Amino acid sequence: AEAKGDEEIRWRRRAHAEENSRVIQSLVAQEADRRVAIWLRVRLGGERMTSVAADYGYRDGSGVHRVVQRVEERAQNDPALARHLKALKRKASSVKS
């Protein structure tokens, strides 16, 4: 038998996941750099690389993996990009409450 609160916990998690997905989709829609949009969907949205690959015309997830790696490497030497990624993380995490 399930505990009385289990269903509510599942409902809250599902609602949170849906809200997080909406926030990520909104951030992606506003993002001019498709590489950063890919990074957003994978790193902050938790999407599978193979799913993202299909949307951006990659054959498989390996191309998406390389894009994500390059964005993160570029951010190490590009303070403006690093600030941008940090701001996106802050906006995405504002949902988590």
Side-chain angles (χ1 to χ4, degrees):
E2 286 188 40
K4 193 174 183 179
D6 286 352
E7 187 175 332
E8 182 176 349
I9 290 169
R10 276 196 303 279
W11 182 87
R12 286 177 189 260
R13 284 182 184 154
R14 195 172 310 120
H16 171 71
E18 289 171 7
E19 177 62 21
N20 189 53
S21 178
R22 279 192 293 275
V23 169
I24 297 299
Q25 287 172 11
S26 172
L27 292 172
V28 167
Q30 297 169 37
E31 183 54 54
D33 187 334
R34 73 185 244 136
R35 295 167 298 184
V36 174
I38 289 169
W39 177 86
L40 258 167
R41 290 180 62 183
V42 171
R43 288 294 192 232
L44 304 184
E47 290 186 57
R48 294 176 55 108
M49 291 184 192
T50 51
S51 302
V52 176
D55 290 347
Y56 288 92
Y58 290 95
R59 199 170 13 155
D60 56 37
S62 65
V64 169
H65 182 0
R66 282 192 299 277
V67 168
V68 170
Q69 281 184 318
R70 288 181 186 142
V71 165
E72 292 172 346
E73 288 168 4
R74 212 173 87 224
Q76 292 175 358
N77 300 312
D78 181 345
L81 177 60
R83 282 191 303 274
H84 183 56
L85 298 183
K86 187 179 263 190
L88 291 169
K89 285 180 185 178
R90 204 169 34 252
K91 289 175 184 175
S93 69
S94 66
V95 175
K96 295 181 171 117
S97 54

